[in-house]
Amino acid sequence: RQFMLKYHSPHDSSGRLFKTPLPLAVWGGMSSQETIRNIDRAVKEKYPFDVLWMDAGWYGPDREVKNSEYISGSDWARTVGDWRVNRIPHPGGLRPVADAAHRAGMKFMLWLEIERIRPDTPIASAHPEWLLRCPDNEADLLLNLGHPDACQWAIDTVSHIIENEGVDYYRQD
């Protein structure tokens, strides 16, 4: 353990070990209401979480979603690239979840994968010229960040989500 801490753990310029965040991880398709109950439970039990990490599944067209990514029929992977908040599990957007995390003394971290786009998303339909195709994988497209308009769209989209949904940390895959 001492070897790992000394040679394979991040340190600041003074040699002090960086404290890494301890996240409470939640599935993005879980309803805001249930997510807030999890935050409240963590506070009640005095768990020392300092970040609420919302993973994939929070986005896409408004629709019912599975409560877990592991349940058969979960569609989180088929809606990647449609970065609108799904208002069925999150009727008020993600801001109520972020606010609950902040009240609990946590930061709010949100998962995004801005460069991966599915063919049936609004951006794929509106701007196919911004997308790169992989001959071995027709299901996933890549946003061409070398295209100035596509790059600006990515910046604007992520900025909008961060500002409007109360995001403190942006998690990029």
Side-chain angles (χ1 to χ4, degrees):
R1 183 170 189 272
Q2 292 302 314
F3 175 82
M4 294 301 291
L5 288 172
K6 184 173 181 177
Y7 296 107
H8 296 285
S9 300
H11 294 79
D12 66 15
S13 60
S14 301
R16 289 181 302 237
L17 189 64
F18 277 117
K19 179 185 177 273
T20 57
L22 179 62
L24 168 59
V26 295
W27 169 240
M30 181 185 298
S31 73
S32 291
Q33 187 177 25
E34 186 171 346
T35 301
I36 292 168
R37 279 197 301 270
N38 283 335
I39 294 168
D40 292 343
R41 188 174 318 122
V43 169
K44 180 182 175 200
E45 298 296 330
K46 297 182 173 61
Y47 294 133
F49 297 118
D50 46 19
V51 174
L52 176 72
W53 169 1
M54 183 174 282
D55 206 3
W58 57 267
Y59 45 82
D62 294 343
R63 72 207 183 285
E64 293 290 334
V65 293
K66 302 294 183 182
N67 205 27
S68 168
E69 66 184 299
Y70 303 110
I71 294 174
S72 177
S74 178
D75 72 346
W76 72 271
R78 290 191 303 271
T79 57
V80 168
D82 185 345
W83 302 116
R84 299 172 291 174
V85 176
N86 179 353
R87 299 292 174 149
I88 302 301
H90 306 291
L94 301 178
R95 176 65 74 163
V97 171
D99 290 347
H102 294 146
R103 281 192 304 276
M106 291 184 247
K107 300 289 187 183
F108 179 47
M109 180 167 65
L110 185 65
W111 176 92
L112 276 146
E113 194 174 5
I114 196 69
E115 77 287 353
R116 187 160 63 114
I117 309 287
R118 296 294 293 205
D120 55 351
T121 57
I123 196 64
S125 298
H127 293 286
E129 72 278 11
W130 293 358
L131 303 174
L132 302 172
R133 298 181 186 284
C134 177
D136 296 340
N137 181 356
E138 292 297 319
D140 289 314
L141 307 169
L142 288 177
L143 185 64
N144 181 356
L145 295 172
H147 189 292
D149 293 334
C151 185
Q152 191 60 55
W153 174 84
I155 291 167
D156 292 345
T157 299
V158 171
S159 296
H160 176 80
I161 292 168
I162 289 170
E163 291 170 15
N164 290 308
E165 304 301 335
V167 175
D168 299 297
Y169 300 144
Y170 164 73
R171 182 173 184 272
Q172 171 69 43
D173 264 4

